Amino acid sequence: MRAVVDTNVFISGLLKRNTYPAKVLDAWVFNRFYPLVSKEIVGEYSRVLVRDKFKILGSVDKRLKIIQKFVELPWVYFVYPLEKIEIIDNDPADNRVLECAEAGEADFIVTGDQHLLELKAYKNIKIVTPEEFIEIAL
């Protein structure tokens, strides 16, 4: 099963152990699903994680290395979306998540983002919370 993990879940999973976002990251690391990333998704992870408020995770260099270790795992699919999607006007960055999911033929988008969750699905891709992903998919 293939899934795009939205930035809010990725960051939350790094910050708070014993939470559903952390369980999603554990599943990522232990190859329980195939994570899909794109240049835009990795860029978003990086732009957010280097913010000062996340310095609890270490230096900027250390935080960027964390992302690198996740995306370089051999079961991570790097996808290259060819089509632009413009469905969510309130937060255009959410459209990059949809583009990655569509290009990678994802089964799930795992997010805490209200704009995405309100869609419930995009084409055949289910849009779920971390808790729903853990309970129904893993």
Side-chain angles (χ1 to χ4, degrees):
M1 146 194 33
R2 297 177 183 206
V4 176
V5 176
D6 198 2
T7 305
N8 54 67
V9 175
F10 188 84
I11 304 294
S12 293
L14 293 174
L15 291 172
K16 299 177 190 155
R17 300 309 307 156
N18 300 317
T19 62
Y20 283 103
K23 290 177 184 180
V24 171
L25 291 189
D26 289 345
W28 177 324
V29 169
F30 292 111
N31 193 18
R32 296 191 48 215
F33 70 97
Y34 296 104
L36 301 171
V37 297
S38 65
K39 179 181 69 154
E40 292 78 12
I41 298 292
V42 174
E44 175 84 0
Y45 290 172
S46 301
R47 279 189 299 281
V48 173
L49 201 56
V50 299
R51 293 177 185 161
D52 279 349
K53 66 181 179 178
F54 300 120
K55 61 185 172 192
I56 189 168
L57 293 171
S59 68
V60 167
D61 189 52
K62 182 178 179 195
R63 288 178 264 164
L64 292 174
K65 282 192 168 106
I66 291 169
I67 295 168
Q68 183 179 3
K69 287 182 187 292
F70 271 88
V71 301
E72 287 182 346
L73 290 168
W75 48 88
V76 175
Y77 285 83
F78 214 99
V79 300
Y80 302 89
L82 299 175
E83 273 187 56
K84 282 284 185 205
I85 297 172
E86 299 296 337
I87 294 176
I88 300 172
D89 296 327
N90 294 342
D91 189 356
D94 292 340
N95 293 306
R96 308 302 73 88
V97 174
L98 296 172
E99 291 166 1
C100 181
E102 182 176 36
E105 300 177 354
D107 300 292
F108 293 93
I109 293 171
V110 186
T111 186
D113 183 281
Q114 221 35 58
H115 299 119
L116 288 167
L117 289 169
E118 285 171 5
L119 293 176
K120 295 188 184 347
Y122 177 73
K123 298 192 177 179
N124 291 328
I125 304 162
K126 294 176 190 74
I127 302 173
V128 298
T129 65
E131 181 176 1
E132 291 168 327
F133 184 66
I134 294 297
E135 298 196 354
I136 63 175
L138 299 178

